[in-house]
Amino acid sequence: MFLLTPVLVAVVCILMVRIFTNANGGTKRRKEEPRVEARPWVDEDLKDSTDVRQVEEAKDADEWQESEEEVKHIPFSHTRYPEKEMVKRSQEFYELLNKRRSVRFISNEQVPMEVIDNVIKAAGTAPSGAHTEPWTFVVVKDPDVKHKIREIIEEEEEINYLKRMGPRWVTDLKKLRTNWIKEYLDTAPVLILIFKQVHGFAVNGKKRIHYYNEISVSIACGILLAALQNAGLVTVTTTPLNCGPRLRLLLNRPANEKLLMLLPVGYPSKEATVPDLARKPLDQIMVTV
């Protein structure tokens, strides 16, 4: 029979302690993982679901529509400007957008709805994965609905500021003087809620893949911001964290739509102020290879 020497016994004991310690540490890490997932910046509504493999490997693959349609191609219409005109136009456009600021003090003065129609049509010109156009723009003018939106957002934002966001995030926001009170949700004449459609539906009811839906809708939001600035209106980009499901229910939007952004839109109030911030110079944001 094999006998263990004192030295070998000691080695075995040390190895057993290490194995137990590692296993216990792994258990602790696994227990801590849900805390990370609970952070508002990984909210379900803010997750992107553009992985094609999710569709290809899905158990309900038969519910997805195969793409069979053909699109006719036509000559491209293009206006080419002289070089000096190009420089002039690009400089003027930059100067226009450089004046854009996030404004949280918005007047209750009404804005022309034709302008809202036009800026949303401009946003709808954004490119999208496989031309799926995975966006829905919900325009809210009704004062009662706007106030209900404010109540939902302020309730969740108070929890975000006091518990979910953490001291670092709250500290970073102090210089902007923001908090969970969103008065502009009542005073702004128009609220635009932008939803991403995580998938669409074909005429026969089958689901249609919306490739890169979050990136596509984000591009549309950027164009919308530029269009609003061009029209002389102001807004502030807001991402109502943890509010998506309740707002979707309030606005009677379908389950395949997830709230991405909310824009209060209007004219700046007379007492409006903005932080005195500077933008990064070109050499800090552009690299030429």
Side-chain angles (χ1 to χ4, degrees):
M1 181 180 292
F2 178 72
L3 298 177
L4 296 176
T5 65
V7 174
L8 189 56
V9 170
V11 172
V12 171
C13 290
I14 293 173
L15 289 174
M16 290 180 66
V17 169
R18 287 184 178 179
I19 292 172
F20 177 80
T21 302
N22 291 337
N24 190 45
T27 302
K28 288 182 179 179
R29 284 193 294 272
R30 284 193 294 272
K31 289 181 179 179
E32 293 174 355
E33 284 176 0
R35 295 181 183 178
V36 176
E37 293 175 358
R39 291 179 180 176
W41 53 85
V42 290
D43 188 357
E44 286 296 328
D45 276 16
L46 298 181
K47 286 183 179 178
D48 200 352
S49 57
T50 57
D51 190 348
V52 178
R53 288 175 298 178
Q54 291 179 345
V55 176
E56 294 176 342
E57 300 173 359
K59 294 180 181 179
D60 60 347
D62 292 340
E63 296 182 7
W64 294 87
Q65 175 68 35
E66 293 291 336
S67 179
E68 298 178 350
E69 64 184 61
E70 294 185 3
V71 178
K72 178 183 177 181
H73 283 225
I74 59 176
F76 174 59
S77 177
H78 173 66
T79 301
R80 179 165 178 168
Y81 302 102
E83 185 173 328
K84 288 185 178 179
E85 179 67 12
M86 290 173 62
V87 172
K88 178 175 179 291
R89 291 171 66 92
S90 62
Q91 178 66 25
E92 290 175 348
F93 189 67
Y94 159 69
E95 291 174 356
L96 171 67
L97 292 192
N98 194 40
K99 296 177 182 177
R100 188 207 58 77
R101 298 301 305 270
S102 294
V103 178
R104 295 173 173 83
F105 303 93
I106 301 177
S107 167
N108 60 4
E109 182 181 354
Q110 295 300 306
V111 300
M113 280 308 298
E114 186 177 0
V115 173
I116 301 300
D117 293 346
N118 287 336
V119 296
I120 290 180
K121 286 192 293 184
T125 67
S128 59
H131 192 62
T132 51
E133 301 177 288
W135 41 66
T136 301
F137 300 90
V138 179
V139 177
V140 178
K141 295 181 59 182
D142 184 275
D144 292 335
V145 178
K146 288 193 299 178
H147 188 68
K148 289 177 182 177
I149 291 174
R150 178 181 178 181
E151 289 179 332
I152 291 172
I153 290 179
E154 288 187 342
E155 179 182 333
E156 291 293 338
E157 281 287 81
E158 183 175 8
I159 300 173
N160 289 336
Y161 271 81
L162 298 180
K163 297 181 179 180
R164 298 186 182 123
M165 291 162 58
R168 178 176 298 177
W169 190 349
V170 174
T171 299
D172 287 342
L173 289 173
K174 280 185 177 180
K175 62 178 178 292
L176 304 178
R177 301 179 187 175
T178 68
N179 53 43
W180 60 83
I181 305 300
K182 313 293 184 183
E183 184 179 352
Y184 51 73
L185 295 175
D186 270 326
T187 60
V190 171
L191 302 182
I192 303 178
L193 291 89
I194 302 100
F195 289 82
K196 62 177 182 180
Q197 302 168 5
V198 294
H199 64 79
F201 291 98
V203 177
N204 59 9
K206 288 190 174 183
K207 298 177 182 178
R208 302 196 67 171
I209 305 172
H210 279 177
Y211 307 95
Y212 296 105
N213 55 77
E214 182 160 318
I215 295 175
S216 301
V217 179
S218 297
I219 295 172
C221 289
I223 294 177
L224 178 56
L225 291 173
L228 289 169
Q229 177 70 11
N230 181 63
L233 298 175
V234 299
T235 187
V236 53
T237 56
T238 65
T239 50
L241 300 173
N242 303 295
C243 301
R246 294 173 66 186
L247 293 178
R248 187 163 62 246
L249 182 62
L250 173 67
L251 299 172
N252 196 30
R253 301 310 308 160
N256 67 309
E257 294 186 359
K258 307 292 185 181
L259 182 63
L260 185 67
M261 189 176 295
L262 184 155
L263 300 177
V265 175
Y267 300 106
S269 62
K270 294 181 179 179
E271 68 277 8
T273 61
V274 294
D276 187 12
L277 302 176
R279 292 187 168 93
K280 293 180 179 179
L282 184 62
D283 60 1
Q284 290 186 23
I285 64 173
M286 185 179 78
V287 176
T288 302
V289 178

